[in-house]
Amino acid sequence: DAMVIQNPRYQVTQFGKPVTLSCSQTLNHNVMYWYQQKSSQAPKLLFHYYDKDFNNEADTPDNFQSRRPNTSFCFLDIRSPGLGDAAMYLCATSRAAGNYEQYFGPGTRLTVT
Amino acid sequence: GEDVEQSLFLSVREGDSSVINCTYTDSSSTYLYWYKQEPGAGLQLLTYIFSNMDMKQDQRLTVLLNKKDKHLSLRIADTQTGDSAIYFCAESNGDSSYKLIFGSGTRLLVRP
């Protein structure tokens, strides 16, 4: 089945220690998104890739970076995680046409100790 | 700026209908979506409606859109315990269709 996969599902990192979350898709979608979702809140878009074009949201901290080496994979790098970065990180994909319906992965829950 | 609002909590009895409401401010919204999120999981798209429609039905789900009042609702018929989850309303617009603006979510609790 075509899908969006996130690894790991749970990640624990230490304060200030860089961490990378990964996302892969078998849908062959042009657009890939990273969202941050804190408890009982709406998902907040951090950035997205339209093919190789990176689009950062204005209020995304510099601490968050992303890489998309190919169509299938996208990575979220947190350079120096703080306690406030503990959250669920959701990856999503969509086609670049029509209703831009977004397909979400199961998420990675990040804990910062 | 764009804003999407939902009530936080809804409790219904199993077998009853549930109606989850959403209001939005962006009059240029092109598509409006309903997503479901179960505990510890990602978001699952339930249904969406194009802004030139006023109703869409999909099995137990009925979406109503009042564009004049910028009000969207999701009705779930014959609600089951498996419907217990958080439901997010989201909008996108023609200028930046890729970007979804989510409401804060409505937690639906279905009582046996």
Side-chain angles (χ1 to χ4, degrees):
Chain A
D1 284 342
M3 56 199 314
V4 182
I5 302 159
Q6 290 189 244
N7 285 306
R9 295 292 312 277
Y10 301 91
Q11 175 75 58
V12 180
T13 191
Q14 291 177 332
F15 183 93
K17 185 173 180 182
V19 66
T20 294
L21 309 182
S22 79
C23 176
S24 63
Q25 54 131 341
T26 60
L27 297 158
N28 205 32
H29 283 169
N30 299 88
V31 193
M32 293 187 78
Y33 310 78
W34 279 104
Y35 289 87
Q36 179 192 63
Q37 186 182 27
K38 295 191 176 180
S39 184
S40 303
Q41 294 184 21
K44 177 178 178 296
L45 182 64
L46 295 173
F47 26 59
H48 77 279
Y49 271 96
Y50 188 128
D51 292 328
K52 287 190 177 295
D53 293 334
F54 177 70
N55 297 271
N56 201 26
E57 292 301 300
D59 55 356
T60 298
D62 292 340
N63 198 23
F64 292 86
Q65 306 280 319
S66 186
R67 295 171 284 134
R68 189 179 187 186
N70 54 52
T71 301
S72 301
F73 284 87
C74 195
F75 300 98
L76 169 63
D77 300 309
I78 308 176
R79 291 194 296 189
S80 181
L83 297 179
D85 296 328
M88 175 79 93
Y89 289 88
L90 297 166
C91 174
T93 73
S94 74
R95 285 185 292 269
N99 67 0
Y100 285 79
E101 179 180 328
Q102 292 190 21
Y103 294 78
F104 282 79
T108 294
R109 181 162 296 283
L110 178 69
T111 300
V112 182
T113 61
Chain B
E2 302 143 340
D3 195 21
V4 178
E5 293 192 357
Q6 301 177 237
S7 52
L8 290 180
F9 185 74
L10 175 65
S11 177
V12 301
R13 193 174 297 177
E14 189 173 17
D16 288 350
S17 292
S18 308
V19 179
I20 302 171
N21 294 299
C22 171
T23 57
Y24 60 97
T25 57
D26 186 357
S27 58
S28 63
S29 291
T30 309
Y31 290 96
L32 294 125
Y33 307 82
W34 283 104
Y35 281 86
K36 176 184 180 182
Q37 186 176 35
E38 297 187 42
L43 275 69
Q44 173 196 355
L45 180 67
L46 290 177
T47 187
Y48 67 92
I49 189 166
F50 188 52
S51 58
N52 69 354
M53 299 168 65
D54 52 21
M55 187 181 102
K56 182 177 180 181
Q57 186 149 5
D58 184 359
Q59 299 182 344
R60 291 191 297 125
L61 305 179
T62 303
V63 179
L64 296 178
L65 175 60
N66 181 328
K67 199 171 180 184
K68 174 175 166 290
D69 293 339
K70 299 191 186 70
H71 182 266
L72 182 74
S73 68
L74 173 70
R75 179 177 180 270
I76 305 173
D78 186 25
T79 313
Q80 302 297 305
T81 54
D83 294 325
S84 292
I86 300 176
Y87 290 80
F88 290 95
C89 165
E91 61 162 356
S92 67
N93 68 51
D95 289 337
S96 52
S97 295
Y98 64 89
K99 184 171 178 176
L100 294 182
I101 307 297
F102 284 92
S104 54
T106 299
R107 183 179 294 277
L108 174 65
L109 176 66
V110 183
R111 310 185 307 274

